[in-house]
Amino acid sequence: MAKSGQHGGNVLQMAERYGLAPDSILDFSANINPLGMPASLKQAIVDNLTLAEHYPDIDYQRLHAALARHIGCSPRAVLAGNGATELIFALTHYLRPKKAMLPVPGFAEYRRALERESCDIVNYTLHEADDYQPTAALLDALTPDLDCLFLCTPNNPTGQQPPQALLLQILDRCRELQITLIVDESFIDFLPGQTGLTASLNDYPNLFILRSLTKFFAIPGLRLGYLLSSDMQAIDTMRDQREPWTINAFAALAGETVLDDRGYIQQTHHWLQAEQEYLYQALSQFSELKVWRPAANYIFIRNQQTELNLQDELLRHHLLIRHCANYPGLSDQHYRVAIKSHENNQQLVAALKQVFGHG
Ligand SMILES: Cc1ncc(COP(=O)(O)O)c(C=O)c1O
């Protein structure tokens, strides 16, 4: 499968395919904070343009110190990367697992990274009847021959956050069976007050946490993510193995700037609190749709009007949503929509009314 077909945000390709001007398309397919990047970061970049004339610090000491301060851990427990994506590949390469478990549906890059290491992949199917949430049955599915398990919390594309108590049970069971647990918390910042599994880092050296700044701080083009673990030897080895300067100077500056921007963080939580509820309720009004209550900034839906291709129909209205047909475990009736500004969300609802012939 071509990489271009595996993610949202392919506005250019979709515009070309449908003969539309890219600028005329409203993108609901990538889950990016609609507030745009923080003004504090824009200013910092403008004030520091000459950073481009120098190599970044090869150890990114200030960046790692800022990330460690944010989490409340040692800088040695943090490895920053060129987006969480770089770290998914770096970690998988470091672990070289022979057998890994992936819940399906889930984010595509875990599979690509594991396949690159010729790893056997065991799919763990998440069921609609469980709202695509893992249950205690996962504890029994874990076996000692597994080297690692990936979890995504909240999960992409389903937008579901597993209960913390179950996550802790899974973590325990993984430690017991010597399975490395990789938890992708790339969207956790959208859940106010949630710290994910960071409090367990010290007690579980088999735990690796992935985080991304690209979604919450709206910098997917700048790119920044980080990996956390109390297995310092693993972090040191990955730090030594990596190619130099994978994080550009402005991305490093972003990490040093945005985590302290309380105003932006609060504004984002404010926006999401209102729009998450608005769009969830508005979509739920359509009997043609099955809608899952979102934990983060995107909503997972199933179109029950099977003869309609919802992505095609909405593109006629210049709205691009993410179809999920290429996720193992899902079908061409599943879609994911980003939660955007109130005006944009209203546009989506209005377009859906036309598509489904309401009023
Ligand atoms: C669950 C999940 N993890 C990781 C990533 C990669 O994030 P980044 O932009 O930091 O590489 C994405 C991007 O869509 C994602 O959805």
Side-chain angles (χ1 to χ4, degrees), residues 83-85 88 107 110 152 156 184 186-187 212 214-215 223-224:
T85 304
I88 293 171
F107 183 55
Y110 317 140
C152 186
N156 183 7
D184 184 342
S186 286
F187 289 97
S212 171
T214 70
K215 294 111 190 6
R223 320 234 8 86
L224 188 64

Side-chain angles (χ1 to χ4, degrees), residues 60 75 234:
Y60 299 101

Side-chain angles (χ1 to χ4, degrees), residues 68-93:
R69 208 170 41 243
H70 174 65
I71 296 297
C73 66
S74 154
R76 281 196 60 210
V78 190
L79 184 64
N82 184 24
T85 304
E86 182 193 5
L87 299 163
I88 293 171
F89 282 82
L91 177 58
T92 310
H93 184 65

